[in-house]
Amino acid sequence: MTNPAPDPRSVTGKPLTIAETVDVLVVGAGPAGLAAAIGAAAHGFGVLLVDENPVPFRTMGDEVPLHYGQGMAASARNRNAMMEAFVASEPRIAEAFEAGIDVRLGTACWALYANGPALGWLPGLVAGLADEERSLLVQARHVILACGRRDMGLGFPGWEKPGVMGATAALGLATRYGAIGPRKLVILGSTTEALTTALALREAGVTIAAIVEQASEPVGDTDLLAELRADGTEILAGHVVREALGRDRVEAAAVAMLDAQGRPAGTERAIACDGIVLGVGTTPVVDLIDAAGGKVAFQPERGGYAPVLDAGQRTSLANVHAVGDCAGLWAAKTRDRAIAEAEAARAVAALGLDAAGDMAAAPPAPEYDVSAYRLAWVRASVIEARAECHVCQCEEVTAREILEIRPPRYLDWRDERRNDRSLAALLGEGPPNPDQVKRLTRAGMGPCQGRRCREQVAALLALGAAQPLSAIPLAGYRAPVRPLPLALTADVPEAPGQVEHWDTWFGMHAQWRPFWEVPALYTVAGNDAAGPVASE
Amino acid sequence: MNGIKGASVVIVGGGVTGLSAGWWLAQGGVDVLVLEKGLIGWEASGRNGGGCSHHHSPLFAEEQRLWPMMDDLLGYPTEFRPQRIRLAANEQQMALYGRALRNAERQGFRSEVLDARQAKELVPLAGDTIVGGYHYRFGGHANPHRTLQGYAWAMQDHGGRVLQHTTVTGFRSEGGRVIAVETDRGEVGCDSLVLAAGPQTGRLSALLGQEVPVQSARCEMIVTEPLPLMPLGGVDGCGLYGRQTLRGNLAYGGGPHEWLALGEEGTPPKPTTPLMLPIGRRLAELLPKAAHARIIRSWAGVIENTPDGRPVIDRLDAQANVVVATLSSVGFGLSPASGRAIRDLVVDGACGFADLSSFRLARFAALEPDWRERQGWAAAATQPLAAPAGSGTKP
């Protein structure tokens, strides 16, 4: 028998409909992405540069891709004004346009697809892109990811109220769009990233009432701290937030001192503010690389889980590079965009060249123990909270429910029944796996795709298992890394053979033959189960 | 040489089949240990549509009898909900889907044919894209991962043990019986062995001198954000399988698979592909009033199939104390019954409640050695994870 036909129900012979093919796709038009795009264009590559900003107002309301906390000013509804403000806030965007780069703003990259050990039918690197109107697939010979940073969420009573927002979201709204709602902020965290954000917000006209830090001393740059203090910002070290006060939105932050054991003690005070900014942890955006099967690892000197890179900014996926904050962020890099731009230059120089095998240079050691610091915040704010709050806001899961691996409340699983399975019982041996916990408790399974709770859940599991953060695997990201409406899926046409042979399952006639009709022997040649079939 | 205590029955594979068998054995007082190379339920067992209506199977009657009792039997929630509605987008699908009614009726289960109007009344998210459908008054759906964890916890409640992150490397036999399982953490003694290792079943059974023929493939599913609950969540069709979960998400799969040649290491990353898009398109056809809903996740799972797609649950001829089990890509819904059948084979030597002759391994006695190629199931070329960079050139 020679060359039998491939299984018509398999992917073989079902080519993807690729709308465009480019030399280099750059995802993210921040300092690193712009430098990469402009640099690659100067080297003669055809470049497509996409950035999801300005993000539609409704998407911001869904807390995608950042924790906006409903902190958008009304002007953020004006899409044209947002677009103009975004372009005006970064001169190199105009430079990219002038360099002939295909720049598409308001266009999200919702997936990166790459062949690997369990996937072989892709034509090469494929990216899924979408704006508000349509989705498409683009094939790229090289991909440079410059996806930026995201903030760790931190629960406390009232943190679901409008006005509680991530530092990166607040910074973008204020400095790039002039569209931040709150006028007076309390900032949680005193890392250099948080202090830099505080100063930039102040520059944008927002009052910084206080910096609240659970550690006994602030952890960030002392010069930045002095600058804030001189301007009247209260620096409250050894304090924790107890509640976001206010009827419908933040009207004050209740704070309390911590005792030597890290427990809130003594009287509380309310600091009047209309916004609380979460600045306790900034982390690289690794969603695309992780979902594509690329290697990421917990690297405290890079701000948490970050891609494993070589000296040419190459990830473990062939022809995929990472630059800028998504490649790792640290204090000096936050303060000086030249570091990110140098990474972009290294990636451009490495395009099309074989890896030499040398790893990326290590960033400076962190100013503080990133794992211990984030765990201390979660202990003081979430574990010691005076009332239960939802760590996962989408699915409304509390810290206790996560640590006790409780089934979700909508199952109405009666407490009196045997259900004493705690984290310890799940562990058996080996570190707790957030993906396992998420499937049982649903924490992280909601429409914000775990952006507000992923790092908190990891911290809770680390605290529960008495392990450092580095021992907790990353809760996996899955495509689409931005929510994609079903209505947009039809934009990508299907191969005719795929439509013709589509089946519910494997489309094997013999599989569904009722057991009373199954012959005693099966051979391929003798298989008489044929004809049209629909799997069950 | 190591601290791992052996067991009367060692089960290789912490998927839904192995864990159900472990639970059935443990609750009967048997000392049982499940060995799992990664995390339990991390392969196809935890990633499937959750359907429980397999009217073609000799285990169907037992599947139907057990599912409504599983929450109580296990003591943990499975999210089982009875009944299923299957909608058709065209007359061809309508005709093909009708087989379920005939199979079920023959075994004493009732169903109804729905015209388009009746179907839309029963399924609030449906629309004018359908021509009709079927309402099974049997079957249903459950939550795969929750069920699987329930098996594991219930088994442990009866004294059974699970050892995760333990890779089986071989077997030690004496006198035609396996006396120990060799693992990367040392040897584990056993009186009986159950091999229920999913895609690894072929390779491991070959080590025992009698290969179960299987080939692996990758399949994918998508999940949307939650929507208001329909009265009956078990709605699929239009080329898809799946359900609305009790949380309200739409979880559906279907369409092409990719045949794979898996290495011995067994657990590569399983990224998804743009197949998400055609699945999403059909979901919007099945439930057009959900077209605004957004996809928030997709999964891929690697699943094994035998040459005829039917299970093997059988005792090996080559080793007297070994039972092999693969459900051939349709294992979750049947798991309450398949676990009981495996328990019967281990303890009693034969299944006491169903005729498993169609699951015999001997049906492949005359199978062509190149059956994969003959069926067009040859694997596409895949690449190692750490591929060399720089395959591109400058323009």
Side-chain angles (χ1 to χ4, degrees), chain B residues 253-272:
Chain B
H257 45 272
E258 179 174 349
W259 294 109
L260 298 169
L262 283 190
E264 292 198 5
E265 70 280 8
T267 43
K270 295 175 196 69
T272 55

Side-chain angles (χ1 to χ4, degrees), chain B residues 97-144:
Chain B
Y97 292 172
R99 177 187 49 198
L101 268 68
R102 299 186 291 278
N103 282 355
E105 188 180 7
R106 176 188 160 121
Q107 296 171 84
F109 293 90
R110 197 163 61 86
S111 324
E112 281 143 32
V113 182
L114 305 173
D115 63 25
R117 185 186 57 79
Q118 291 168 317
K120 280 187 281 187
E121 277 172 16
L122 282 169
V123 182
L125 294 174
D128 295 331
T129 47
I130 52 165
V131 299
Y134 300 98
H135 185 176
Y136 303 1
R137 300 287 181 161
F138 59 89
H141 290 80
N143 178 319

